[in-house]
């Protein structure tokens, strides 16, 4: 009997993992609907796996965004109907609920906190206090994984959008300390200094950006555009 129970448990785990993997592959192909279905099946089999909950929260956000984009494109800037708003709200609520369940299942995992931080970031402007919740969640994630440069840069980007440029610069510098060849961090740092009209530091950061930027046309165009914006500061005219 014990062997049978163990066998059933192992079979359930393997099945859930296979289905979840199929969901990830579908998501990578851009098939959100199939990925959503597969992830829901995996959760039904193993409801206590926090990664499945993270996947579902991300899919729910993507579904809400895709639905909003599709409806907006077909309505020629008309106001969304009540039914459309309810669908978007339902998907957003599901995303939040799944993200919170992931934290309940694994409260000491930085990934679960980073996931809900990014979720709240995507809801800024649509959900009350989403920006403050996002900041708090990123800080919790960083407390659990302080040497992760991506978390520091994500927090920096968020607080910069809230016009907290000094904190953004500090977090970006931490990201660079942890990853000295972090091109995105240098790029963001240059932009944050540009927003502060700090020509000297912006120029220094953009020069570092150029050292580590990938050799492709899109990346180099972005760097050139930012460099032009920095040069337009006209340092002799700055206070």
């Amino acid at each position: 009997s014990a062997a049978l129970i163990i066998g059933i448990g192992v079979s359930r785990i393997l099945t859930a993992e296979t289905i979840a993997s199929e969901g990830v592959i579908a998501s990578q192909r851009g098939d959100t609907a199939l990925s959503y279905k597969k992830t829901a099946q995996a959760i039904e089999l193993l409801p206590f796996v926090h990664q499945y909950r993270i996947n579902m929260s991300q899919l729910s956000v993507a579904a809400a965004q895709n639905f909003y984009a599709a409806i907006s494109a077909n309505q020629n800037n008309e106001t969304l109907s009540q039914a459309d708003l309810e669908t978007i709200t339902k998907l957003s609520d599901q995303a939040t609920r799944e993200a919170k369940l992931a934290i309940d299942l694994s409260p000491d995992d930085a990934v679960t906190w980073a996931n809900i931080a990014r979720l709240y970031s995507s809801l800024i402007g649509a959900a009350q206090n989403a920006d403050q919740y996002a900041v708090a969640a990123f800080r919790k994630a960083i407390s659990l994984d302080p040497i992760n440069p991506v978390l520091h840069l994500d927090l920096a980007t968020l607080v910069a959008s809230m016009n907290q440029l000094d904190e953004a610069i500090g977090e970006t510098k931490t990201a660079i300390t942890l990853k000295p060849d972090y091109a995105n961090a240098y790029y963001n740092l240059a932009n944050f200094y540009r927003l502060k009209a700090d020509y000297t530091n912006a120029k220094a950061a953009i020069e570092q950006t150029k050292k580590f930027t990938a050799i492709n046309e899109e990346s180099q165009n972005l760097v050139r555009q930012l460099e032009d914006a920095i040069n337009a500061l006209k340092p002799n005219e700055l206070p």
Side-chain angles (χ1 to χ4, degrees):
S1 297
L4 178 61
I5 292 172
I6 293 172
I8 292 172
V10 170
S11 175
R12 194 180 187 89
I13 292 171
L14 292 175
T15 300
E17 282 293 290
T18 298
I19 293 172
S21 296
E22 291 171 351
V24 171
I25 293 170
S27 179
Q28 292 171 344
R29 292 201 309 263
D31 191 340
T32 302
L34 178 59
S35 183
Y36 187 99
K37 178 182 178 181
K38 292 291 185 180
T39 304
Q41 291 173 346
I43 288 174
E44 186 176 354
L45 287 168
L46 292 178
F48 303 113
V49 177
H50 73 275
Q51 186 59 54
Y52 298 170
R53 300 291 183 172
I54 289 174
N55 293 350
M56 180 58 81
S57 73
Q58 294 172 350
L59 287 167
S60 299
V61 169
Q65 292 172 337
N66 291 343
F67 182 82
Y68 177 80
I71 295 297
S72 298
N74 292 330
Q75 290 190 341
N76 298 319
N77 296 322
E78 294 180 12
T79 303
L80 294 177
S81 69
Q82 185 61 35
D84 293 336
L85 288 172
E86 288 176 358
T87 298
I88 293 170
T89 299
K90 182 179 179 180
L91 288 167
S92 298
D93 288 346
Q94 181 180 21
T96 304
R97 183 171 62 253
E98 294 292 338
K100 288 180 177 178
L101 281 170
I103 290 173
D104 290 341
L105 291 168
S106 189
D108 296 325
D109 187 345
V111 173
T112 62
W113 287 98
N115 176 67
I116 201 168
R118 294 180 181 118
L119 167 60
Y120 281 129
S121 295
S122 72
L123 295 176
I124 292 175
Q128 188 175 12
N129 298 322
D131 53 351
Q132 299 301 321
Y133 292 141
V135 169
F138 269 128
R139 287 177 177 158
K140 177 64 176 180
I142 287 171
S143 73
L144 293 168
D145 187 9
I147 62 172
N148 186 329
V150 175
L151 293 178
H152 288 282
L153 188 58
D154 284 349
L155 176 57
T157 302
L158 175 59
V159 296
S161 72
M162 300 162 65
N163 203 34
Q164 298 172 16
L165 293 175
D166 288 335
E167 182 177 357
I169 288 169
E171 290 293 339
T172 307
K173 286 182 176 179
T174 299
I176 289 170
T177 298
L178 294 168
K179 182 175 170 56
D181 62 348
Y182 201 172
N184 286 352
Y186 284 113
Y187 178 89
N188 284 12
L189 185 62
N191 192 44
F192 298 154
Y193 277 127
R194 179 188 68 84
L195 293 173
K196 288 194 68 173
D198 185 338
Y199 176 85
T200 301
N201 283 315
K203 283 288 289 182
I206 201 67
E207 290 303 318
Q208 290 296 104
T209 305
K210 290 191 286 186
K211 290 182 182 179
F212 301 111
T213 300
I215 303 175
N216 63 68
E217 186 175 352
E218 182 180 0
S219 296
Q220 292 183 346
N221 282 340
L222 287 172
V223 172
R224 278 195 295 269
Q225 289 170 15
L226 179 55
E227 187 173 26
D228 289 343
I230 291 169
N231 289 333
L233 288 175
K234 299 179 181 179
N236 58 315
E237 298 178 8
L238 294 176

